[in-house]
Amino acid sequence: MLSFPFTNSTQSPNVADSYYNYILFIFIALIVIRRLFRGIRGRTYSRARVLRIPVIYTILSAILLTYIFSNLTYTIIAVLMVIPGLIIGMRFGSLSTVYEENGRVMYKRSVVILGMWVILFLLRIYTEFFIPSDLLVNFIIDALLLLSLGMLIGEAYHLIAKYGELVNSKSGEDNSTSAL
């Protein structure tokens, strides 16, 4: 576990640890800010871009599940957290949009999913660094990660479906103008 200079740790951190901690916090802040801006402002659509984060979360979840695999109950509950995540993702992923701008297909993420992702991400970071690691803490981290995974899969489903609708509507417009 990292020792942060502003926690109530009994050991006083050295200067190198303090710089490492600040760099880590800046890196985490940049990740969150970048994801927020790209999610709100919109990005160029590609199926690979939409599926990349859910695939990374799946791989990361599989790796991290090995830490709690010794407790079958925790492992099953953590894996089942994908289901409420999917329900949330299917419900609020419909708020995402796919549109055309300057001849490019763009997409914007659901603000609700994006907000929930930020909250879950920060909870995972807090749990990882500020709570002493044990089986329960690892379970909480995995459960939050799998909940996020379900949300992202549900949102990705909507984005891919909306892209298909946009392509079909464009091809319908092309066919109707060529018939005239």
Side-chain angles (χ1 to χ4, degrees):
M1 186 167 105
L2 295 174
S3 60
F4 291 94
F6 41 82
T7 61
N8 50 1
S9 175
T10 56
Q11 298 175 341
S12 60
N14 63 29
V15 176
D17 283 344
S18 295
Y19 287 128
Y20 172 75
N21 294 336
Y22 290 125
I23 290 171
L24 181 65
F25 274 136
I26 290 169
F27 181 70
I28 291 168
L30 289 175
I31 289 172
V32 170
I33 290 168
R34 183 175 179 225
R35 291 274 304 194
L36 282 172
F37 279 122
R38 286 187 170 183
I40 293 170
R41 287 187 311 165
R43 298 184 71 183
T44 304
Y45 178 89
S46 78
R47 184 178 292 243
R49 182 171 282 152
V50 169
L51 294 176
R52 184 176 302 130
I53 296 297
V55 168
I56 290 170
Y57 269 54
T58 302
I59 293 168
L60 188 59
S61 296
I63 291 169
L64 291 177
L65 276 174
T66 60
Y67 291 111
I68 66 168
F69 199 68
S70 63
N71 187 315
L72 187 60
T73 305
Y74 280 176
T75 304
I76 291 171
I77 292 171
V79 170
L80 289 176
M81 289 301 289
V82 170
I83 295 170
L86 277 171
I87 293 168
I88 294 168
M90 294 303 288
R91 168 70 174 92
F92 294 107
S94 63
L95 300 174
S96 58
T97 57
V98 176
Y99 59 97
E100 194 168 1
E101 180 179 282
N102 299 328
R104 295 184 312 175
V105 178
M106 306 286 287
Y107 73 97
K108 288 184 184 179
R109 297 191 57 207
S110 163
V111 176
V112 174
I113 299 284
L114 194 58
M116 289 179 173
W117 175 84
V118 168
I119 291 167
L120 291 172
F121 180 75
L122 293 175
L123 279 172
R124 282 193 316 272
I125 296 298
Y126 177 81
T127 306
E128 179 74 32
F129 293 124
F130 293 108
I131 299 176
S133 184
D134 65 1
L135 184 62
L136 180 62
V137 171
N138 289 335
F139 161 71
I140 292 169
I141 292 169
D142 289 345
L144 292 174
L145 185 66
L146 286 159
L147 181 68
S148 297
L149 172 62
M151 289 177 4
L152 294 172
I153 290 171
E155 183 183 46
Y157 169 80
H158 280 287
L159 286 168
I160 291 169
K162 288 181 179 194
Y163 173 75
E165 291 171 9
L166 180 69
V167 169
N168 287 339
S169 70
K170 281 182 63 179
S171 66
E173 290 173 9
D174 293 342
N175 290 338
S176 64
T177 56
S178 64
L180 296 176

